[in-house]
Amino acid sequence: MSLTLDIVTPERAFPSQTVDEVVLPALDGEIGVLPGHAALMSQLGVAGLLTYRQGGKETLAFVAQGFVEVLGNRVTVLTERAELAEDIDIEEARTRLREAELALRKAEAERPDEDLSRFRAELEAALVRVKTAERYLSR
């Protein structure tokens, strides 16, 4: 028995994958999905690492905000952004991380009373993206 994994962003739909297991970054922590999993709908965290396994091969992907639905043996991930770890340019990701850190610091200094959650979310997404690429490269 296997699962069908669909990852969809506003820009594109990734090709459907037949997988043995999916681990997702839900809002309250990681969710592991195996064939026969109960029906589920959950919000994804601000940013996280999605992994799926096909036989002995593990694939890593960065995902940011969205929802996951598990229905039957189909896992559908609707996310604002998704990138396979192998497609992430590590130097560009590190540059974006530095830019997000600077933007948050600047906003904290210039607007200490405002809601800075958007800046914090961008920083978290940039950090997870770098960690996803580093994990892939360290294999």
Side-chain angles (χ1 to χ4, degrees):
M1 212 184 217
S2 59
L3 298 164
T4 300
L5 173 64
D6 294 305
I7 301 172
V8 180
T9 73
E11 289 83 34
R12 70 185 256 208
F14 288 73
S16 290
Q17 299 289 322
T18 300
V19 302
D20 301 319
E21 176 185 13
V22 180
V23 179
L24 304 140
L27 194 57
D28 295 327
E30 286 188 340
I31 295 174
V33 180
L34 295 168
H37 195 284
L40 166 79
M41 181 167 274
S42 180
Q43 188 174 352
L44 297 175
V46 171
L49 173 66
L50 178 146
T51 61
Y52 59 90
R53 290 177 187 77
Q54 298 166 301
K57 181 183 178 207
E58 179 182 68
T59 301
L60 309 173
F62 163 80
V63 293
Q65 297 182 339
F67 295 91
V68 59
E69 176 189 61
V70 178
L71 193 57
N73 283 324
R74 180 172 292 276
V75 179
T76 304
V77 178
L78 304 172
T79 180
E80 288 182 13
R81 296 185 330 202
E83 270 181 283
L84 294 176
E86 63 198 50
D87 295 336
I88 297 173
D89 177 334
I90 188 70
E91 291 309 317
E92 181 268 340
R94 287 178 177 147
T95 298
R96 281 197 184 178
L97 176 58
R98 286 189 296 275
E99 290 170 352
E101 289 169 337
L102 290 172
L104 176 59
R105 276 195 229 125
K106 182 178 178 185
E108 287 172 336
E110 294 176 359
R111 304 177 258 179
D113 297 330
E114 288 186 31
D115 179 12
L116 303 177
S117 58
R118 180 179 64 86
F119 292 97
R120 290 185 184 102
E122 281 300 317
L123 177 59
E124 183 177 344
L127 180 61
V128 171
R129 194 166 167 257
V130 167
K131 287 183 177 183
T132 300
E134 288 174 344
R135 182 170 166 189
Y136 172 77
L137 293 171
S138 70
R139 291 179 175 190

